[in-house]
Amino acid sequence: MNHNRGYTILELLIYTALLALLLAVSSASAISLYRLFGVTRIERQIALEGDTAMEVIIRDIRNATSTNVSSVFGSHPGTLVVGDVRLFLSGATLQRSVGAGAADDLTAKTRATNFLVYYATSTSFSNNAEIITVRVTLEAGRGFAERSRNFFGSAVVRGSY
């Protein structure tokens, strides 16, 4: 009686090829998911810091009574001085200082590559309104995961109307 107690060489080759194919597909999927997670994390970080920075900037503009002549409008890097608040770009970090106090980082985990401030006035018979528009470009990440995003905001200086 012949008892077959093993695999033939052809069966071993087929099983090995199938196992290698499954391993290749699963490792490619894992690498793709890892990259996607990294890109998503960076985009989320940019969105969070950008939204927070713009909220602080717009709040400072609305709470101000007037702009200061030491502000730099329409060129990069801009500087905005409203009331006793100064917003400026230091290196690749957007910073905010109040009075003579130390500056706080608004974009500590991202790089601010552009900070533009525009100024406009609206004159009418009843009042003059000062309108300030801010544009900030933030980027983060390296290599394939490097991302950049623009943030815009406008506000009317409260004391001007």
Side-chain angles (χ1 to χ4, degrees):
M1 222 177 219
N2 257 348
H3 293 285
N4 193 356
R5 293 193 180 249
Y7 298 107
T8 64
I9 192 82
L10 183 60
E11 289 174 328
L12 283 175
L13 287 174
I14 291 172
Y15 293 145
T16 304
L18 287 175
L19 185 62
L21 181 66
L22 286 173
L23 186 62
V25 168
S26 64
S27 65
S29 297
I31 290 171
S32 177
L33 284 174
Y34 179 75
R35 285 185 174 188
L36 182 64
F37 173 74
V39 168
T40 304
R41 182 177 47 86
I42 288 169
E43 287 177 351
R44 182 175 171 264
Q45 186 176 20
I46 290 173
L48 182 64
E49 278 204 352
D51 290 342
T52 304
M54 289 307 295
E55 183 67 29
V56 169
I57 292 169
I58 297 301
R59 184 188 65 224
D60 286 340
I61 293 170
R62 285 186 181 143
N63 289 337
T65 56
S66 66
T67 57
N68 192 312
V69 291
S70 64
S71 296
V72 177
F73 297 112
S75 67
H76 170 72
T79 300
L80 178 62
V81 181
V82 286
D84 63 344
V85 176
R86 181 173 179 253
L87 299 156
F88 60 98
L89 198 60
S90 174
T93 304
L94 184 60
Q95 294 190 332
R96 174 183 183 264
S97 64
V98 179
D104 296 324
D105 293 343
L106 293 179
T107 57
K109 296 180 181 178
T110 58
R111 296 179 303 276
T113 57
N114 198 7
F115 180 58
L116 289 168
V117 181
Y118 299 102
Y119 177 81
T121 57
S122 170
T123 57
S124 67
F125 294 111
S126 60
N127 64 6
N128 294 333
E130 293 179 280
I131 303 165
I132 297 176
T133 302
V134 178
R135 176 183 176 203
V136 177
T137 303
L138 298 180
E139 65 179 31
R142 300 266 187 254
F144 74 91
E146 186 172 10
R147 296 291 184 263
S148 177
R149 184 172 167 196
N150 293 319
F151 295 88
F152 300 92
S154 294
V156 175
V157 177
R158 180 166 285 166
S160 65
Y161 59 90

